[in-house]
Amino acid sequence: MFLLILFFFSLLSCSCASVQDFCVADLSLPHGPAGYPCKNPAKVTVDDFVYSALGVAGNTNNLIKTAVTTAFTAQFPGLNGLGLSLARADIAVGGVVPMHTHPGANEVIFMVKGTITAGFISSANTVYLKTLNEGDTMIFPQGLLHFAVNSGNTTALAIVSFSSPNPGLQFLNYALFANNLPSELVEKTTFLDDAQVKKLKAALGGTG
Amino acid sequence: MFLLILFFFSLLSCSCASVQDFCVADLSLPHGPAGYPCKNPAKVTVDDFVYSALGVAGNTNNLIKTAVTTAFTAQFPGLNGLGLSLARADIAVGGVVPMHTHPGANEVIFMVKGTITAGFISSANTVYLKTLNEGDTMIFPQGLLHFAVNSGNTTALAIVSFSSPNPGLQFLNYALFANNLPSELVEKTTFLDDAQVKKLKAALGGTG
Amino acid sequence: MFLLILFFFSLLSCSCASVQDFCVADLSLPHGPAGYPCKNPAKVTVDDFVYSALGVAGNTNNLIKTAVTTAFTAQFPGLNGLGLSLARADIAVGGVVPMHTHPGANEVIFMVKGTITAGFISSANTVYLKTLNEGDTMIFPQGLLHFAVNSGNTTALAIVSFSSPNPGLQFLNYALFANNLPSELVEKTTFLDDAQVKKLKAALGGTG
Amino acid sequence: MFLLILFFFSLLSCSCASVQDFCVADLSLPHGPAGYPCKNPAKVTVDDFVYSALGVAGNTNNLIKTAVTTAFTAQFPGLNGLGLSLARADIAVGGVVPMHTHPGANEVIFMVKGTITAGFISSANTVYLKTLNEGDTMIFPQGLLHFAVNSGNTTALAIVSFSSPNPGLQFLNYALFANNLPSELVEKTTFLDDAQVKKLKAALGGTG
Amino acid sequence: MFLLILFFFSLLSCSCASVQDFCVADLSLPHGPAGYPCKNPAKVTVDDFVYSALGVAGNTNNLIKTAVTTAFTAQFPGLNGLGLSLARADIAVGGVVPMHTHPGANEVIFMVKGTITAGFISSANTVYLKTLNEGDTMIFPQGLLHFAVNSGNTTALAIVSFSSPNPGLQFLNYALFANNLPSELVEKTTFLDDAQVKKLKAALGGTG
Amino acid sequence: MFLLILFFFSLLSCSCASVQDFCVADLSLPHGPAGYPCKNPAKVTVDDFVYSALGVAGNTNNLIKTAVTTAFTAQFPGLNGLGLSLARADIAVGGVVPMHTHPGANEVIFMVKGTITAGFISSANTVYLKTLNEGDTMIFPQGLLHFAVNSGNTTALAIVSFSSPNPGLQFLNYALFANNLPSELVEKTTFLDDAQVKKLKAALGGTG
């Protein structure tokens, strides 16, 4: 038996010490196209693989009555390089997840509770719209505009999965109206009226 | 305005009709290394993107007091080619998710309710073990042995995300004892005793 | 020498007849997540690798004074599986390429002639805006909103490269206003005014 | 409205600051298999996404009467990780793009002006040869020998797209004759005559 | 125990029957960019995963005194979609593996017996040349010209691994001289003399 | 001729110096999801691409009478980023390669000499079992349990190829019994008897 133990230890010391089953992000180093460099495996503990912030409801006390809490690589470094991430969406009664895209990932939501009406729009301009109840799952393909509204009478909770640890998130309103993109360009490229653009720029802190 | 409409229609008729934002599996055709051929996009409806079976608790009235319900491509064809899938695990009091691996995907679980003790073992033979409560999230890297037991006093529910629509699932006990792999080979390659192997083969329907 | 010839012929008959250097799409078969099945290599000719439609200026006699001509897989089947595609954009004086995204590819444009002002908006909401002249090249990352306007006094011509043979193309206006997405949902999820939504729905053929 | 603004700012501060829509190369750090580490996004400006050197004709006053100007990652760091790159080829009357391969990318050329005869050779040894005029596009699959000659009576200009920001470039003549690979080995492995090898080694600066 | 058995059977009937651990090629169907469609898993046997032809020495009774036997997807369909393949090279005394590339894969050889001198040439035109003895391993990166000659006094045997089931194989001589590529174009794009080109075309069966 | 030389040198100085045909690992830097950062190409020599340790038989003087010698990135840094690696297995008479998985790669073995009985078990619980003789090749798909025993009367030697430079290696016995995973959890999740678990923990150095 002693020899067997020795065998295994020597075998593993030569081949497994170098194996990389995971790559917990070292956020202090610059990332690259495939993600962050890995934290030294010898310093990785189980806590690098566990994250608790998705267990806490976001604060929906805002105008859209919705909170989105993400567990992407930046929040949950253990996901680095693993090809998936999570988020939670709390949507109070009357709440809205505004029109947005994820440039870098496909998405699937699971309704933990409540009722929402959700949809996405394809490149062929077709609308895929559905009312989802507790236990329902829905797919939103990568890069396509999608949205949800609480269509029930309780706060809704959805757990969201993405096919990348870095899905990206572009809110349409914020992209158009909350920066210094000149109003004239917004109007020319969206056909929105000048008054409309200026009203939303004012509301969202945009200039130009 | 009429010209504008015409413009958009002609533009889209030449470029977007051919765009493939998604690839709902046509399960009647043979799959390939990247997944199934796609259902004709013209016949795709929102119901191809919505799945409700994860909303139904599995039957835990069995010896391991656990039920796993999968939403992989075969059950939810809309996931084909999208790089992710889901499952739910219902684990009754005293229940166990036996030691297993997913050969084809990383996994993240989210605890919807209850308390489990879960762990995985790395190539370097380190155990990463944690008690998870409602709202906790934990990572299980691809291909590594992992497991969970209900360590609370209520039925636990976990929503599980995978980084592939086809993660695979190999239960250790079933792989070793529930087929015709000769007992002699099981014993030689696992160092388990003959009596142990034969007892489990009998329990799990194995032969040889 | 005769033996040498024989050697080469026999060598190639066993190993190279099966090699697949390319995969010209057979558009008559259903595509899959990685593209279309390949046309029989024995029937492939040089004309499968040559495409001439990008040499013809599009008709810019429309309200936006712009024409986009694509060479994606559906138009140029030789690109199938090769990870890139092209398009040309003709933008007359006063013309606009409306706000849009490509859900499935990064983009680089090369200005063959003329002057445009182009920009994209990142997930962090930053605007990257530049006036481009003949010979300039600009990057538009995958899935991010971008646009261009002719800011010169001649028709502009840009050759556009994508990092996928199937980049997708979602025009913001068309997605929001040219289908049956209910006005109420558009308004709730974009914060646009009802009058604005209805005006653009009317112009673009939308209902609901 | 103030609350709405606050909502958006707080939402974005937690989720989008960490999103990586692009990865401009920091050429001062060592690259990895997927490319270079990214420049700090806070220091990225629009000029990282714009490149002007492809607008300048290369100097064709050399024996092959051709100039190739590349916009790969090393010249245009904004392409890092984006899966595509560009180049321009200026081919004067009588000019030649010598036989070469790109080990790391598929290629598509677009003829901006002039006429060339271009071709590639497949693993099955088939020649795909075509005369291309202004506006024509042609594919050269990854790793296969290809070439072009100006077959018109004006300088030709082609814009070239690659499916990688790091396509590689191996000129046959330079590989065989412009280094210290012993003549004997060149001759044995190419069946070229000794006089031929030595003549080209002398011309191209090779030794051995 | 009976319930446990039942549990496992029902669990597996719902989730594992659909899992695709492998994708043995069905060579009768058209392949796609990711490989061939899979043979029905129910008809797959262990013989789909076993191949014996690499155990047989190739016939080196030819002018180059070398035989290459491939186990690519077309010969060994079990490799389809698995990202690797094998070959064996038998190189008799005085034998040569002529200058060639693999457009689609990196390569590593292992010398089972004998001595060869092998080399490859990088894009930067550097020669990496080494004499390899029994037990040595050498890397040849994707798409780069490489070669070997038997530099010992016994027949050499190498087992070759590729990073793709479809590596491709382009012999330089065959590409240049064994087809209908016009001599004038060969000469212009390689700087070889007319006499040299015609001599090799005659030897290798080329025309034009 | 002088001009031609100048042409080539200037051409290469602008385009090829930046080309990355390979990425020899710099093991002194932290790796990332795609592998290690690359050693400076100017310091790379042919010895970075050659490895001799697979030519030396491992020491099989241990209880399982088997030695596995790996050439993964950590031992052979030239493989970094190339998508493949090698190993050798020496299996003395009566020797065993215990049940194990490779979480990160598909595997193909080639029998250089001797006779083994090898097998793997699929997610569908099917056993694929075969006796392999000199010259036979067998596939073991990624992440699935597999094993081998010497079933001949001489020492067997297998050369093993993997579809990743970092395949991982998880021995079942070591994962279950050679660490601090509590016996109670091992028993609950594997259905092994307490006596069996404690016997193997004692033999393999496990605690708990």
Side-chain angles (χ1 to χ4, degrees):
Chain A
M1 279 304 172
F2 186 66
L3 281 180
L4 180 59
I5 296 170
L6 280 186
F7 158 73
F8 271 112
F9 272 103
S10 62
L11 179 66
L12 289 165
S13 69
C14 82
S15 67
C16 285
S18 62
V19 166
Q20 297 151 11
D21 297 319
F22 42 72
C23 178
V24 177
D26 181 341
L27 298 178
S28 72
L29 296 174
H31 66 81
Y36 284 91
C38 319
K39 186 175 171 177
N40 181 345
K43 296 188 177 169
V44 168
T45 71
V46 68
D47 292 327
D48 287 301
F49 299 110
V50 176
Y51 189 64
S52 295
L54 295 190
V56 181
N59 181 358
T60 60
N61 188 17
N62 54 50
L63 272 193
I64 60 166
K65 297 177 181 164
T66 289
V68 174
T69 308
T70 57
F72 297 173
T73 300
Q75 293 87 42
F76 190 8
L79 291 170
N80 187 47
L82 299 191
L84 80 173
S85 61
L86 298 185
R88 73 175 280 157
D90 297 277
I91 314 172
V93 175
V96 173
V97 181
M99 196 70 76
H100 67 287
T101 61
H102 302 286
N106 295 293
E107 173 182 346
V108 180
I109 66 166
F110 173 80
M111 294 300 298
V112 177
K113 61 182 178 189
T115 297
I116 64 173
T117 297
F120 73 88
I121 305 151
S122 74
S123 283
N125 195 42
T126 305
V127 180
Y128 296 88
L129 186 66
K130 191 81 178 183
T131 295
L132 305 174
N133 296 303
E134 184 178 322
D136 284 346
T137 296
M138 184 169 177
I139 295 167
F140 303 100
Q142 181 168 349
L144 298 180
L145 285 165
H146 60 290
F147 61 87
V149 298
N150 188 326
S151 53
N153 47 22
T154 60
T155 291
L157 169 60
I159 286 296
V160 187
S161 304
F162 298 98
S163 64
S164 161
N166 181 33
L169 176 55
Q170 182 166 60
F171 279 103
L172 176 57
N173 273 72
Y174 218 62
L176 295 181
F177 305 120
N179 50 38
N180 61 350
L181 182 59
S183 296
E184 189 197 345
L185 279 174
V186 177
E187 292 158 24
K188 263 195 178 165
T189 61
T190 64
F191 306 107
L192 295 173
D193 292 338
D194 180 63
Q196 177 74 86
V197 169
K198 288 189 170 144
K199 180 178 172 187
L200 284 165
K201 272 191 171 274
L204 291 166
T207 58
Chain B
M1 278 303 171
F2 186 65
L3 279 180
L4 180 59
I5 295 170
L6 278 187
F7 158 72
F8 272 112
F9 272 104
S10 61
L11 179 66
L12 289 163
S13 70
C14 81
S15 68
C16 285
S18 62
V19 166
Q20 297 149 14
D21 296 319
F22 41 72
C23 179
V24 177
D26 181 341
L27 298 178
S28 73
L29 296 174
H31 65 83
Y36 283 90
C38 318
K39 186 175 171 177
N40 180 346
K43 297 188 176 169
V44 169
T45 72
V46 69
D47 292 326
D48 287 300
F49 300 109
V50 176
Y51 189 63
S52 295
L54 296 190
V56 181
N59 181 359
T60 61
N61 188 17
N62 54 49
L63 273 194
I64 60 167
K65 297 176 180 163
T66 289
V68 175
T69 308
T70 58
F72 297 171
T73 301
Q75 293 87 42
F76 189 8
L79 291 171
N80 187 47
L82 297 191
L84 81 172
S85 61
L86 297 185
R88 74 175 281 157
D90 297 276
I91 314 173
V93 175
V96 173
V97 180
M99 195 70 74
H100 67 287
T101 61
H102 302 286
N106 294 293
E107 172 182 347
V108 180
I109 65 167
F110 173 79
M111 294 301 299
V112 177
K113 63 181 175 187
T115 297
I116 64 172
T117 297
F120 72 87
I121 305 153
S122 74
S123 283
N125 195 41
T126 304
V127 180
Y128 296 89
L129 187 66
K130 192 80 177 182
T131 295
L132 306 174
N133 296 302
E134 184 178 323
D136 284 345
T137 295
M138 184 169 176
I139 295 167
F140 303 101
Q142 181 169 348
L144 299 180
L145 285 165
H146 61 290
F147 60 88
V149 298
N150 188 327
S151 53
N153 45 23
T154 60
T155 291
L157 169 60
I159 286 296
V160 188
S161 304
F162 298 98
S163 64
S164 161
N166 180 34
L169 177 53
Q170 181 168 60
F171 279 103
L172 177 57
N173 273 73
Y174 218 63
L176 295 181
F177 306 121
N179 51 37
N180 61 351
L181 181 58
S183 296
E184 189 196 345
L185 279 174
V186 177
E187 293 159 23
K188 264 194 179 167
T189 61
T190 64
F191 306 108
L192 294 174
D193 293 337
D194 179 63
Q196 178 74 88
V197 169
K198 288 190 169 143
K199 180 177 170 186
L200 285 165
K201 272 192 170 273
L204 292 165
T207 58
Chain C
M1 277 304 169
F2 186 64
L3 280 180
L4 179 60
I5 294 169
L6 278 187
F7 158 73
F8 272 112
F9 271 103
S10 62
L11 179 67
L12 289 164
S13 69
C14 82
S15 69
C16 285
S18 63
V19 166
Q20 296 149 13
D21 297 320
F22 41 72
C23 179
V24 177
D26 181 341
L27 298 178
S28 72
L29 295 174
H31 66 83
Y36 284 91
C38 319
K39 185 174 172 178
N40 181 346
K43 296 189 176 168
V44 168
T45 72
V46 69
D47 292 327
D48 288 300
F49 300 109
V50 176
Y51 188 64
S52 295
L54 296 190
V56 181
N59 180 358
T60 61
N61 188 16
N62 54 50
L63 272 196
I64 61 167
K65 297 177 182 162
T66 289
V68 174
T69 307
T70 58
F72 297 171
T73 301
Q75 293 87 41
F76 189 8
L79 291 171
N80 188 48
L82 298 192
L84 79 173
S85 61
L86 297 184
R88 75 173 282 157
D90 297 276
I91 313 172
V93 175
V96 174
V97 181
M99 195 70 73
H100 66 289
T101 62
H102 302 286
N106 294 293
E107 173 182 346
V108 181
I109 66 167
F110 174 80
M111 294 300 299
V112 177
K113 63 180 176 189
T115 297
I116 65 173
T117 297
F120 72 88
I121 305 152
S122 73
S123 283
N125 196 42
T126 305
V127 180
Y128 297 88
L129 186 66
K130 191 82 180 181
T131 294
L132 305 174
N133 296 303
E134 183 179 323
D136 284 344
T137 295
M138 184 170 177
I139 296 168
F140 303 101
Q142 181 168 348
L144 299 180
L145 284 165
H146 60 288
F147 60 87
V149 298
N150 188 327
S151 52
N153 48 22
T154 61
T155 291
L157 168 59
I159 287 295
V160 188
S161 305
F162 299 98
S163 63
S164 161
N166 181 34
L169 176 54
Q170 181 167 60
F171 279 103
L172 176 58
N173 274 72
Y174 218 62
L176 295 181
F177 306 120
N179 49 38
N180 61 350
L181 181 59
S183 295
E184 189 197 346
L185 279 174
V186 176
E187 293 158 23
K188 263 194 180 168
T189 62
T190 64
F191 306 106
L192 295 173
D193 293 337
D194 179 64
Q196 177 73 87
V197 169
K198 289 193 168 140
K199 179 177 172 187
L200 284 165
K201 272 192 171 275
L204 292 165
T207 58
Chain D
M1 277 304 171
F2 186 65
L3 280 180
L4 179 60
I5 295 169
L6 278 186
F7 158 72
F8 271 112
F9 272 103
S10 63
L11 179 67
L12 289 164
S13 69
C14 83
S15 68
C16 285
S18 62
V19 166
Q20 297 150 12
D21 296 319
F22 41 73
C23 178
V24 177
D26 180 341
L27 298 179
S28 73
L29 296 174
H31 65 81
Y36 283 91
C38 318
K39 186 175 171 177
N40 180 346
K43 296 188 176 168
V44 168
T45 72
V46 69
D47 292 326
D48 288 299
F49 300 110
V50 176
Y51 189 64
S52 295
L54 295 190
V56 181
N59 181 358
T60 61
N61 188 16
N62 53 50
L63 274 194
I64 60 167
K65 297 177 181 162
T66 289
V68 174
T69 307
T70 57
F72 297 171
T73 300
Q75 293 87 42
F76 189 8
L79 291 171
N80 187 47
L82 298 191
L84 80 171
S85 61
L86 297 185
R88 73 174 282 157
D90 297 277
I91 313 173
V93 175
V96 174
V97 181
M99 194 70 74
H100 67 287
T101 61
H102 302 286
N106 294 294
E107 173 182 346
V108 180
I109 67 167
F110 174 80
M111 294 301 298
V112 177
K113 62 180 177 189
T115 298
I116 64 174
T117 297
F120 72 87
I121 305 151
S122 74
S123 284
N125 196 41
T126 304
V127 180
Y128 297 88
L129 187 65
K130 190 82 179 182
T131 294
L132 305 174
N133 296 302
E134 185 179 323
D136 284 345
T137 296
M138 184 170 178
I139 295 167
F140 303 100
Q142 181 168 347
L144 299 180
L145 285 165
H146 60 289
F147 61 88
V149 298
N150 188 325
S151 51
N153 47 21
T154 61
T155 291
L157 169 59
I159 287 295
V160 188
S161 305
F162 298 98
S163 64
S164 161
N166 181 33
L169 176 53
Q170 181 167 62
F171 279 103
L172 177 58
N173 272 71
Y174 217 62
L176 294 181
F177 306 121
N179 50 37
N180 61 351
L181 181 59
S183 296
E184 189 197 346
L185 279 174
V186 176
E187 293 159 23
K188 264 194 178 166
T189 61
T190 63
F191 307 107
L192 295 173
D193 292 338
D194 179 64
Q196 177 73 88
V197 169
K198 288 191 169 142
K199 179 177 172 187
L200 284 165
K201 271 190 171 275
L204 291 165
T207 58
Chain E
M1 278 304 170
F2 186 64
L3 280 180
L4 180 59
I5 296 170
L6 279 186
F7 158 72
F8 272 112
F9 271 103
S10 62
L11 179 67
L12 289 163
S13 68
C14 81
S15 68
C16 285
S18 62
V19 165
Q20 296 150 13
D21 298 318
F22 42 73
C23 179
V24 177
D26 181 341
L27 299 179
S28 72
L29 296 174
H31 65 82
Y36 284 90
C38 318
K39 185 174 171 178
N40 181 347
K43 295 188 176 168
V44 169
T45 72
V46 68
D47 292 327
D48 287 301
F49 300 110
V50 176
Y51 189 62
S52 294
L54 295 191
V56 181
N59 181 358
T60 61
N61 188 17
N62 53 50
L63 271 194
I64 60 165
K65 298 178 181 161
T66 289
V68 174
T69 308
T70 58
F72 296 171
T73 300
Q75 294 87 42
F76 189 8
L79 291 170
N80 187 48
L82 298 192
L84 80 173
S85 61
L86 297 185
R88 74 175 281 158
D90 297 276
I91 313 172
V93 176
V96 173
V97 181
M99 196 69 76
H100 67 288
T101 62
H102 302 286
N106 295 293
E107 172 182 347
V108 180
I109 66 166
F110 173 80
M111 293 300 299
V112 177
K113 62 181 177 188
T115 297
I116 65 173
T117 296
F120 72 88
I121 305 152
S122 73
S123 283
N125 194 42
T126 305
V127 180
Y128 297 87
L129 186 66
K130 191 81 178 183
T131 295
L132 305 174
N133 297 302
E134 182 178 324
D136 283 346
T137 296
M138 185 169 176
I139 295 168
F140 303 101
Q142 181 169 349
L144 299 180
L145 285 166
H146 61 288
F147 60 88
V149 298
N150 188 326
S151 53
N153 47 22
T154 61
T155 292
L157 169 59
I159 287 296
V160 188
S161 304
F162 298 98
S163 64
S164 160
N166 181 33
L169 176 55
Q170 181 167 59
F171 279 103
L172 176 57
N173 274 73
Y174 218 63
L176 294 181
F177 306 121
N179 50 38
N180 62 350
L181 182 58
S183 296
E184 189 197 346
L185 278 174
V186 177
E187 292 158 24
K188 264 196 178 165
T189 62
T190 65
F191 307 107
L192 294 173
D193 292 337
D194 180 63
Q196 178 73 88
V197 169
K198 288 190 169 144
K199 180 178 171 186
L200 284 165
K201 273 192 170 273
L204 292 165
T207 59
Chain F
M1 278 305 170
F2 186 65
L3 279 181
L4 180 59
I5 295 170
L6 277 187
F7 158 73
F8 272 111
F9 272 102
S10 63
L11 179 66
L12 289 164
S13 71
C14 81
S15 67
C16 285
S18 62
V19 166
Q20 297 150 13
D21 297 318
F22 41 73
C23 179
V24 177
D26 180 341
L27 298 179
S28 73
L29 296 174
H31 64 83
Y36 283 90
C38 317
K39 187 175 171 177
N40 180 345
K43 296 189 177 169
V44 169
T45 72
V46 68
D47 292 326
D48 287 301
F49 300 110
V50 176
Y51 189 63
S52 295
L54 295 190
V56 181
N59 180 358
T60 61
N61 188 16
N62 54 49
L63 274 193
I64 60 167
K65 297 177 180 162
T66 289
V68 174
T69 308
T70 57
F72 297 171
T73 301
Q75 293 87 42
F76 190 8
L79 291 171
N80 187 47
L82 298 191
L84 80 171
S85 61
L86 297 185
R88 73 175 281 157
D90 297 276
I91 313 172
V93 176
V96 174
V97 181
M99 195 70 74
H100 67 287
T101 61
H102 302 287
N106 294 293
E107 173 182 344
V108 180
I109 66 167
F110 173 79
M111 294 301 298
V112 177
K113 63 180 176 189
T115 298
I116 64 172
T117 297
F120 73 87
I121 305 152
S122 74
S123 283
N125 195 42
T126 305
V127 180
Y128 296 89
L129 187 66
K130 191 79 178 185
T131 294
L132 305 174
N133 297 302
E134 185 178 321
D136 284 346
T137 295
M138 184 170 178
I139 295 168
F140 302 100
Q142 181 168 348
L144 299 181
L145 285 165
H146 61 290
F147 61 86
V149 297
N150 188 325
S151 53
N153 46 24
T154 61
T155 291
L157 170 59
I159 287 296
V160 188
S161 304
F162 298 98
S163 64
S164 162
N166 181 34
L169 176 54
Q170 181 168 61
F171 280 103
L172 176 58
N173 274 71
Y174 218 62
L176 295 180
F177 306 121
N179 50 37
N180 61 351
L181 181 59
S183 296
E184 189 197 345
L185 279 173
V186 177
E187 292 158 24
K188 264 196 177 164
T189 61
T190 65
F191 306 107
L192 294 174
D193 293 337
D194 179 63
Q196 177 74 89
V197 169
K198 288 191 170 142
K199 180 177 170 186
L200 284 166
K201 272 191 171 272
L204 291 165
T207 58

